[in-house]
Amino acid sequence: MPADTSPAETESLLSPLTSREPTPFDDKGGTTGADEGGATETPLHHCLQAYMSTPGALTPEVCDSVPFANNPRPMFMQMGDKADYWADKDSELLIFKFPAILDVNGMYTRISPYFGMPDSRLDVSVLRKARAHFEIHLLSPDDEESDQYPEEVLTMSARFFDLLSALITDVEDTRNAGVPDSTRVIVSPFMRGYTRAEEDFYVLLVQTELLFRDLPTEQQASSIVPRVKQGDIGKSGVLISPSKAKCLANKQGGATGNDSNRGPSTGNAAAPDVLRIHDLHDPLAWYAGLGPLRETKVEVPNIRNEHGTFIHPRDYAEKLAGARFVELEVYIKLWSIPAKFKKDPSMSDRDKFGSRTYQMILHRMQLLPCDAYLKPMICDPKGKRKASEDTEDQSPAKKHVFARDAFAMYD
């Protein structure tokens, strides 16, 4: 079974600020704007320079266009949950695109085999919240490779951090207006203070979208409990496995819900690239006790290697081990949890006063350097772009498809 798989095509969530278009290249096949000589000739420098020329790069104009008014806001029809999201001036989901350093060994990184799930029993309620977590560092002049960074990129990183801080500060100042300090909610930001080698700095915690979506409800999952009546005690002579218990429940008419809600069955020759929970690495045998839930499909976040090929969550530990530089597209969501109405002396401060949790959710991650920024665009014999690559006169629908596929041209 192939390790690199592509997720099903879904409607893009990209805002106009981050619509992907081909990376600008000069007629000689090199990226435009790159200086000559020294570290500026490295693949990393070329990629970072190319990033600055793409739509959605965090230029001063893009940052200034981020609206603070009426943000964050509910986007239930588009996102399907009760969280608040930041939107752009056209009321589309606001997605930020920026380069950063990925630390797969960081304090907050949680990748395969068990991602961000607790080291206790796994059930439907736990699987329903499973995400991979990545620790991200914005580019800094103190980095070892900083001589390969264009000056504009360093300025952009500082500007982006200020923007993120300002967005959170604006929300907290607005929602805490008139609230006594003693009753303010507990806030969990995606920015985390970090101390290493006696140096303090900030990192960003980026989470993928949900890894397991095709799950039964807890009521449906409970149907795998063996249905044994008093008169049947001792008749089986063997231990009943979860799969046999499910079959027995179905035969007895005791299963609730429709089996179609439990996810596609395995062994589908038409979809050989689909991996399921039972295909994940399981060194501690946490997945082994999930019974039929092991058939649940594993979603594939949009994380690509340097050649533009998807990396499956099963392979994060192996294929991201040597990764350092990445280009990210993320969006921010805010969960506001109210205080519990009934007070109890033993309850936590979160339950007593309420809480707000900010999440930075991954929309796309591209390892750098990458072919999409380094390979020249196809030219005709006269050195000009082919007509098929010119999107100026194309319809909006064709532009959307072209922009969506531009970064996947090397799959």
Side-chain angles (χ1 to χ4, degrees):
M1 183 175 295
D4 295 326
T5 60
S6 300
E9 289 291 336
T10 57
E11 184 178 354
S12 174
L13 297 177
L14 290 177
S15 69
L17 293 179
T18 54
S19 58
R20 288 192 290 274
E21 295 182 6
T23 302
F25 288 84
D26 59 28
D27 291 338
K28 297 180 181 180
T31 53
T32 60
D35 299 329
E36 296 182 0
T40 59
E41 293 183 347
T42 65
L44 175 61
H45 181 275
H46 279 288
C47 288
L48 294 177
Q49 191 72 46
Y51 154 78
M52 293 299 299
S53 302
T54 58
L58 293 172
T59 61
E61 295 75 20
V62 169
C63 289
D64 290 343
S65 70
V66 174
F68 280 69
N70 196 28
N71 263 326
R73 69 186 76 167
M75 300 182 72
F76 179 79
M77 294 299 294
Q78 185 175 358
M79 305 305 296
D81 59 30
K82 297 181 180 180
D84 289 337
Y85 295 83
W86 274 260
D88 62 18
K89 58 183 177 60
D90 298 315
S91 298
E92 298 292 333
L93 182 68
L94 182 59
I95 297 181
F96 299 100
K97 182 172 70 174
F98 60 98
I101 293 176
L102 170 67
D103 188 352
V104 294
N105 298 312
M107 178 186 301
Y108 301 110
T109 296
R110 301 289 185 273
I111 53 178
S112 53
Y114 301 113
F115 312 103
M117 292 184 285
D119 55 352
S120 57
R121 68 182 184 91
L122 300 183
D123 55 22
V124 172
S125 61
V126 173
L127 295 174
R128 202 177 297 280
K129 301 176 182 178
R131 304 173 186 266
H133 297 186
F134 298 101
E135 182 178 308
I136 299 297
H137 303 243
L138 293 177
L139 302 186
S140 165
D142 296 328
D143 298 338
E144 294 181 3
E145 304 89 340
S146 61
D147 61 332
Q148 302 179 47
Y149 304 166
E151 188 64 33
E152 307 95 305
V153 173
L154 287 172
T155 302
M156 179 277 300
S157 289
R159 183 188 304 118
F160 182 46
F161 183 83
D162 290 345
L163 174 62
L164 294 175
S165 302
L167 291 175
I168 296 176
T169 299
D170 183 70
V171 173
E172 292 305 307
D173 287 349
T174 300
R175 303 195 180 188
N176 285 327
V179 178
D181 291 345
S182 59
T183 60
R184 289 189 177 182
V185 301
I186 307 299
V187 177
S188 298
F190 50 78
M191 296 179 181
R192 304 293 173 91
Y194 204 105
T195 301
R196 184 169 58 192
E198 298 183 354
E199 182 181 0
D200 294 331
F201 53 94
Y202 282 102
V203 298
L204 304 180
L205 172 59
V206 177
Q207 304 177 41
T208 65
E209 295 175 340
L210 296 173
L211 295 175
F212 313 120
R213 295 183 183 274
D214 194 13
L215 288 163
T217 65
E218 294 188 41
Q219 181 182 11
Q220 291 169 335
S222 67
S223 66
I224 67 173
V225 176
R227 292 178 55 82
V228 179
K229 298 180 180 180
Q230 184 176 2
D232 297 326
I233 295 176
K235 290 183 178 179
S236 65
V238 295
L239 292 175
I240 299 178
S241 66
S243 58
K244 291 180 180 179
K246 179 184 176 183
C247 292
L248 181 61
N250 289 337
K251 290 180 180 179
Q252 295 176 346
T256 60
N258 190 328
D259 277 346
S260 63
N261 294 328
R262 304 177 194 278
S265 61
T266 56
N268 184 357
D273 294 338
V274 174
L275 269 71
R276 305 182 184 278
I277 288 180
H278 64 68
D279 295 310
L280 296 173
H281 301 297
D282 192 16
L284 301 179
W286 290 356
Y287 296 131
L290 292 176
L293 295 178
R294 298 173 71 241
E295 303 296 323
T296 303
K297 174 185 174 183
V298 181
E299 300 294 331
V300 183
N302 193 349
I303 299 178
R304 298 173 181 249
N305 66 13
E306 64 274 18
H307 305 301
T309 304
F310 283 96
I311 301 176
H312 195 280
R314 167 191 171 95
D315 302 314
Y316 285 170
E318 174 186 356
K319 296 190 176 182
L320 295 179
R324 179 162 173 79
F325 293 94
V326 294
E327 181 182 272
L328 299 165
E329 288 180 9
V330 302
Y331 59 91
I332 304 172
K333 65 192 304 183
L334 169 61
W335 293 98
S336 297
I337 312 300
K340 289 190 175 181
F341 181 74
K342 292 185 177 180
K343 305 300 180 183
D344 186 308
S346 62
M347 69 172 45
S348 66
D349 287 343
R350 288 181 179 274
D351 291 337
K352 189 182 301 182
F353 304 120
S355 62
R356 280 191 288 271
T357 298
Y358 294 83
Q359 291 180 301
M360 180 173 279
I361 304 297
L362 179 69
H363 183 63
R364 181 181 69 90
M365 179 190 294
Q366 169 67 58
L367 304 192
L368 297 178
C370 65
D371 292 349
Y373 278 148
L374 296 176
K375 287 188 176 181
M377 299 296 289
I378 300 175
C379 297
D380 65 15
K382 296 181 180 180
K384 298 180 180 180
R385 292 181 188 271
K386 291 184 177 180
S388 61
E389 295 168 354
D390 187 359
T391 63
E392 289 300 321
D393 299 323
Q394 292 180 1
S395 67
K398 289 183 178 180
K399 284 185 179 181
H400 172 75
V401 173
F402 185 86
R404 182 195 67 195
D405 294 342
F407 224 93
M409 60 188 296
Y410 302 110
D411 280 359

